[in-house]
Amino acid sequence: MQKIISKLIWLIIVTIVGLGIQRYSGIFYQDEVLRVDEVQLTDGYQTISGQLVQTDQSKELTLPYYESEATVPVFNRGDQLILKNDAFHEVKRDGYLFIIISYFVLALLFIGKRDGVRSLISLAINVGLLFLLTAAYVVNSQLPLLGLTFVYCMLATTASLVVSDGWRSNTLQKIAATLLTSFSAFLICYVAMNLMQDRGVRYEEMQFLTRPYRPIFLASLLIGTLGAVMDTVVTVLSTLEELLDKTANLTMKELFLSGRAVGQDIAGSMVNVLLFAYLSGAVPMILLYLMNGWNFLSAVNMQISLELLRALCGGFGIVLSIPISLLVFRLARGRKA
């Protein structure tokens, strides 16, 4: 009971601190922060009246209003807007962001305990590696982005598995199986795209980029495939290790059948999760196109091709992860049925 109460207290403290940050941190901003007092909608515009939190001076701002709220949302009393050069820049949400991140961290610590701490460390390492990769490419666009991504995948996989699980007897197996599966699935998709000359692939959603679209998409495809594969590989290999520890007299054939059964059970659900995760990202833009007069097929074709490719490549990885995990386990054990 005391543990539950202490956890609730932490959640309350985080919520209060986050709301305090949201309400009062605007005074520390270099840019002007406008607290909205009143909003009037007239003829495609919204007239916003409020006070600058740094100086308490009244200010009025006129912004366009679109029913779809595609570029500028409709603001409400109490919202805080960050201004640059007297123009709207973005909505201030630092307090709410603090609450969400804190809830996530607390959930990992409360539920995972030591494993939760390791997961946070692993996440921080992976984010840092990805930042370094991105920074290196931004500074020098002549660097091969796909090559950098391959290096990142190897480092991120090693860091994730070693930090999360520690160095165990099957850690090297997990790393090898994850990388081999990810690279194999990516290679299949890469060859298919080249043979089809990217027909049906629409890069319009990446048109804001100032670098070539294809290498950037391929890099994201590889990273997404890695994320899909790792969970399946770890599940299959960990299950086989547990079975071997509990029942040492199992033959390799029996282990194979058990590993295949586990893989089959999780593969279907993982592919569906992957599909939903990727397609959900396209829903807002599809709705935006539909609300602006596009027909359904054109809107879907414009927005869903890249998401389908990511889902297909990840699906290949999940399916391939089962036989490759079993193969790596067999080679590592060197046992005969």
Side-chain angles (χ1 to χ4, degrees):
M1 189 65 180
Q2 288 182 338
K3 291 183 178 180
I4 296 177
I5 294 175
S6 64
K7 292 174 182 178
L8 289 175
I9 291 174
W10 272 109
L11 292 176
I12 293 171
I13 291 174
V14 163
T15 303
I16 293 174
V17 172
L19 293 176
I21 292 173
Q22 179 64 28
R23 182 171 179 82
Y24 299 108
S25 65
I27 60 176
F28 301 106
Y29 278 57
Q30 293 183 347
D31 299 313
E32 293 181 328
V33 177
L34 177 68
R35 182 181 293 115
V36 178
D37 292 331
E38 184 180 2
V39 179
Q40 295 181 345
L41 301 178
T42 54
D43 299 328
Y45 290 92
Q46 51 181 324
T47 302
I48 302 168
S49 303
Q51 291 184 323
L52 298 175
V53 299
Q54 294 98 330
T55 61
D56 286 334
Q57 293 180 349
S58 298
K59 193 175 185 67
E60 190 172 277
L61 197 64
T62 301
L63 297 175
Y65 161 70
Y66 302 100
E67 186 177 355
S68 64
E69 302 185 31
T71 55
V72 179
V74 177
F75 299 110
N76 300 296
R77 178 183 175 86
D79 289 343
Q80 296 186 53
L81 315 182
I82 300 176
L83 310 180
K84 284 184 178 292
N85 300 321
D86 288 332
F88 168 71
H89 178 62
E90 61 179 329
V91 180
K92 179 178 175 294
R93 301 187 180 94
D94 52 356
Y96 302 136
L97 184 62
F98 172 83
I99 292 174
I100 293 173
I101 293 176
S102 298
Y103 281 174
F104 171 70
V105 172
L106 289 176
L108 280 178
L109 296 178
F110 291 160
I111 298 173
K113 298 181 181 179
R114 287 186 178 180
D115 290 337
V117 175
R118 290 175 178 173
S119 298
L120 286 174
I121 296 173
S122 173
L123 178 63
I125 292 174
N126 285 335
V127 170
L129 289 173
L130 186 60
F131 175 79
L132 290 176
L133 165 69
T134 306
Y137 184 67
V138 169
V139 172
N140 187 0
S141 60
Q142 301 302 316
L143 291 172
L145 180 59
L146 205 52
L148 290 174
T149 307
F150 273 96
V151 174
Y152 167 77
C153 288
M154 290 186 285
L155 295 176
T157 301
T158 304
S160 296
L161 295 176
V162 172
V163 173
S164 297
D165 295 336
W167 189 264
R168 300 180 181 179
S169 58
N170 64 345
T171 300
L172 190 57
Q173 298 175 38
K174 293 177 182 177
I175 295 172
T178 299
L179 293 177
L180 183 59
T181 304
S182 300
F183 295 159
S184 298
F186 173 78
L187 182 61
I188 292 173
C189 295
Y190 179 75
V191 171
M193 289 175 64
N194 285 342
L195 290 176
M196 297 179 64
Q197 299 180 346
D198 286 357
R199 285 192 293 270
V201 181
R202 307 298 297 265
Y203 293 107
E204 279 83 353
E205 69 177 67
M206 304 175 69
Q207 61 187 336
F208 57 88
L209 295 174
T210 58
R211 306 288 171 89
Y213 304 153
R214 198 171 192 265
I216 296 175
F217 172 70
L218 290 174
S220 69
L221 191 66
L222 178 55
I223 294 175
T225 304
L226 176 68
V229 164
M230 189 180 299
D231 185 54
T232 310
V233 168
V234 170
T235 301
V236 172
L237 289 178
S238 296
T239 301
L240 292 177
E241 284 289 335
E242 187 69 16
L243 286 172
L244 196 59
D245 289 341
K246 299 298 183 182
T247 313
N249 59 348
L250 283 175
T251 65
M252 185 57 67
K253 182 178 180 179
E254 291 172 330
L255 285 171
F256 262 53
L257 292 175
S258 299
R260 187 176 66 181
V262 171
Q264 289 172 344
D265 284 342
I266 64 174
S269 60
M270 282 294 295
V271 170
N272 282 319
V273 168
L274 194 66
L275 184 65
F276 294 148
Y278 279 129
L279 295 187
S280 65
V283 169
M285 291 305 299
I286 291 175
L287 291 177
L288 177 62
Y289 275 79
L290 293 176
M291 293 174 69
N292 284 276
W294 288 59
N295 64 63
F296 181 77
L297 290 179
S298 298
V300 169
N301 183 49
M302 181 69 70
Q303 290 298 321
I304 213 171
S305 64
L306 298 186
E307 308 302 335
L308 275 179
L309 265 176
R310 292 188 179 104
L312 283 173
C313 194
F316 273 124
I318 291 171
V319 173
L320 288 175
S321 64
I322 300 170
I324 290 178
S325 297
L326 295 173
L327 176 62
V328 170
F329 182 81
R330 172 69 177 84
L331 294 175
R333 286 292 171 177
R335 291 178 54 178
K336 296 181 180 180

